Amino acid sequence: MNRALKQILFGGVLVLIIVGGVVWIYRDVIFTPASCFDQIQNQGEDGIDCGAVCGISCEEKYLKDLSYSELTVFRLDDLASVYFNLDNSNQNFGLKKFKYQIDFYGFADKLLGSVMGESFIYPDQNKDAAGGSKKIVEAGQKVLGEIKYAKVSFLNLDWRSASEFRSIKLENQNMRTYKEGDFYAVSGTIKNLYSFYIPQTEINAFLMDNSGNVVGISKTRIDNLGPFEEREYRVLIQLNKEFESILDLTKTKTYIYPIY
């Protein structure tokens, strides 16, 4: 084989090696397809391992936890009533049903008792939204011992898209607050403004003092509110006597949550 032919063959092999290297770099390094499991935001992903290319939105992949604030406990003998503000910062995802547990602790972090409840929360229902935080109330729970603090935990969180929720408005008519024996009663009429049944409606009532602070709480529920139906409700609240002198009945607040 003459020298010229050897040079041609050698040059051809060298070109093939260079071209192969360029193709490899182009395909496997520069344009690595999104794996959606590599903890890196790469080709076409809207965030880290999320977006249309991964088949899951970044909000859904990185859902924010429920948060609560202003947890307040009222004592009346051996009975405890508690409320807290609940916030969901996920704009497009809510919970149609979830459970919560409130644990009451005494001295030396001793668990005095717990109460379980069930509720729901709409997408983007939080303190920064138009409707504000959701109010959760548990009233008249028997707890022995002095309560030093309480904690809330959440269970069975099944997040659902905003498309599964519909906005429901109920009209609260003729609300009034008055003394009824040893209790204070908050009453009124709930009107369904829609042409469908609402399986359950939760009504939380808050008694306030003359400075706007909460001094008493309780709740009730209305089942199967029919289309355009009006239904009377009454919430009874037993108030600690130390608050009676500063109670302002005109400042009573109610928070109404339709459950479907």
Side-chain angles (χ1 to χ4, degrees):
M1 184 180 294
N2 60 40
R3 183 175 180 183
L5 182 58
K6 288 182 179 180
Q7 289 177 336
I8 292 171
L9 290 175
F10 178 78
V13 172
L14 183 61
V15 168
L16 288 175
I17 292 173
I18 294 172
V19 170
V22 170
V23 170
W24 177 79
I25 293 172
Y26 181 87
R27 187 189 65 184
D28 295 332
V29 177
I30 297 176
F31 287 98
T32 302
S35 72
C36 299
F37 299 102
D38 57 10
Q39 296 298 309
I40 300 172
Q41 182 178 348
N42 46 21
Q43 312 328 313
E45 294 178 349
D46 297 330
I48 297 176
D49 296 339
C50 61
V53 70
C54 295
I56 184 173
S57 71
C58 292
E59 182 182 9
E60 184 176 5
K61 185 174 180 68
Y62 298 106
L63 286 167
K64 300 173 184 175
D65 293 334
L66 292 176
S67 61
Y68 68 92
S69 61
E70 297 186 25
L71 189 151
T72 305
V73 179
F74 298 99
R75 292 301 303 264
L76 186 64
D77 299 324
D78 290 336
L79 298 180
S81 296
V82 59
Y83 82 91
F84 58 88
N85 293 334
L86 181 63
D87 294 300
N88 172 24
S89 297
N90 299 295
Q91 292 187 352
N92 298 297
F93 291 88
L95 294 163
K96 285 194 170 183
K97 183 183 291 187
F98 68 93
K99 292 183 178 181
Y100 56 85
Q101 179 171 315
I102 306 172
D103 296 317
F104 301 97
Y105 294 90
F107 290 101
D109 298 326
K110 179 183 178 181
L111 181 63
L112 302 178
S114 301
V115 57
M116 292 284 295
E118 188 174 273
S119 190
F120 76 100
I121 192 164
Y122 286 109
D124 200 32
Q125 186 173 10
N126 58 70
K127 61 184 178 182
D128 297 320
S133 304
K134 180 168 185 179
K135 311 292 183 182
I136 301 293
V137 170
E138 288 294 338
Q141 304 298 319
K142 189 167 185 178
V143 180
L144 299 177
E146 182 180 351
I147 298 173
K148 303 301 292 183
Y149 65 95
K151 289 184 178 179
V152 181
S153 55
F154 303 104
L155 310 155
N156 299 345
L157 304 183
D158 182 17
W159 292 98
R160 300 298 183 92
S161 169
S163 61
E164 298 187 34
F165 293 80
R166 58 185 175 186
S167 178
I168 300 176
K169 290 184 179 180
L170 301 176
E171 195 170 87
N172 186 13
Q173 303 173 336
N174 305 318
M175 192 190 81
R176 64 192 186 100
T177 308
Y178 52 93
K179 187 76 181 291
E180 187 175 292
D182 293 331
F183 295 85
Y184 286 88
V186 181
S187 67
T189 302
I190 294 296
K191 182 178 181 180
N192 180 4
L193 303 178
Y194 293 86
S195 59
F196 49 80
Y197 276 89
I198 300 175
Q200 200 170 74
T201 301
E202 183 179 284
I203 304 166
N204 295 336
F206 289 68
L207 295 180
M208 318 293 287
D209 66 16
N210 46 33
S211 297
N213 301 309
V214 180
V215 293
I217 54 174
S218 194
K219 67 179 180 181
T220 190
R221 286 184 173 178
I222 293 176
D223 293 324
N224 298 317
L225 189 63
F228 307 110
E229 181 185 355
E230 296 182 7
R231 187 90 61 85
E232 292 184 354
Y233 69 86
R234 187 168 63 112
V235 184
L236 295 178
I237 303 175
Q238 192 168 12
L239 191 67
N240 194 312
K241 292 189 180 300
E242 67 180 275
F243 295 126
E244 289 191 338
S245 61
I246 56 174
L247 180 63
D248 187 343
L249 300 184
T250 67
K251 285 185 167 64
T252 298
K253 293 182 180 180
T254 57
Y255 298 89
I256 302 169
Y257 301 114
I259 305 171
Y260 59 90

